[in-house]
Amino acid sequence: MNQPAPTVTRSAGLTVLYFAWLRERTGTAEEVVAPPVEVATVGALIDWLIRRSPGHATAFASRDTVRCAVNQDFADPETPVRPGDEVAFFPPVTGG
Amino acid sequence: MAKVRVQQEDFDIGAEFAALSAGRTDIGGLGCFVGTVRETAKGRKIVSMTLEHYPAMTERALARIAAEAESRWPLLGCTLIHRVGTLLPGDNIVLVLAASAHRQAALDAAGFLIDWLKTRAPFWKKERFADGDETWVEARAEDDAAAAKWWAGPPSRAAASTG
């Protein structure tokens, strides 16, 4: 009868990763969040994340400089997000 | 077939050339690009550059870029090695090798690989200046334009993505 509650909670959440100045501005490299079900796209997730802290609001202040990947594939604001996904936010890449 | 690696330590260009061509006599040309840390950025001296990446995604992104090159040119091998961590002026950052039977494919594929890597692989550079100031390198429109020229699609598509 014991419910594996922590596991359920984790799998129901979204893992959000931040890189480069998004990590610095949000003050976190990784967090597990549980947004309401209507948060179903990357764009909606950003709308929801910016209310988490002033740092989050600053990080997403100029959205055209924020890039995203869902489950390690490049994504855009219309890309669906589901519980269990890994969503990463970062600036335009500058390797090479 | 492609060899893709992300590492902190330096790479040995000669050893990578040798590894790519070992035991083969069908290769007629090897195209090579090596990116290194330049000592100045926007006219200011830098003391170091730190490269961050998205570990879960990086090697997959590099493998995908290599696969795209292999689908466009008759390659007999290619190597992509990118360093991460803190590097000093003059240090190697990235190695691109492309082998083919003929030079044009080898050179074009090497050019394509570095242009696409610069716009499609999840790396970020932070420069540290002599006065202690640190800034994230901003993506350059020229890099987007360089990558866009490889689009096989209609010219309008390339023009649109260069902004």
Side-chain angles (χ1 to χ4, degrees), chain B residues 6-100:
Chain B
V6 179
Q7 61 188 41
Q8 293 205 353
E9 63 271 23
D10 197 8
F11 45 78
D12 181 333
I13 300 167
E16 296 303 333
F17 260 105
L20 190 54
S21 55
R24 309 193 63 143
T25 51
D26 54 348
I27 293 172
L30 281 159
C32 173
F33 176 82
V34 181
T36 57
V37 180
R38 191 173 45 245
E39 68 177 355
T40 56
K42 294 180 178 169
R44 296 168 74 194
K45 276 231 180 236
I46 69 160
V47 293
S48 66
M49 171 182 280
T50 299
L51 275 136
E52 177 177 329
H53 74 128
Y54 178 4
M57 180 174 175
T58 317
E59 294 207 359
R60 223 171 105 191
L62 293 177
R64 193 167 289 180
I65 291 164
E68 181 68 27
E70 287 169 340
S71 76
R72 292 179 180 219
W73 289 278
L75 298 185
L76 298 170
C78 77
T79 301
L80 286 178
I81 302 177
H82 205 297
R83 296 181 69 192
V84 293
T86 297
L87 306 176
L88 303 176
D91 281 353
N92 292 326
I93 305 172
V94 62
L95 173 67
V96 171
L97 298 177
S100 191

Side-chain angles (χ1 to χ4, degrees), chain A residues 17 19-21 23-24 69 71-74 86 88 90-96, chain B residues 52-54 57 60 64 82 94 117-121 123-126 136-137 139:
Chain A
L17 308 180
F19 293 95
W21 51 255
R23 171 173 45 74
E24 293 175 346
N71 299 328
Q72 300 93 43
D73 282 326
F74 286 109
E86 177 175 289
F90 42 80
V93 300
T94 56
Chain B
E52 177 177 329
H53 74 128
Y54 178 4
M57 180 174 175
R60 223 171 105 191
R64 193 167 289 180
H82 205 297
V94 62
L117 185 155
K118 274 185 162 294
T119 54
R120 283 174 171 74
F123 294 96
W124 302 276
K125 289 174 181 152
K126 191 179 206 181
W136 291 100
V137 173

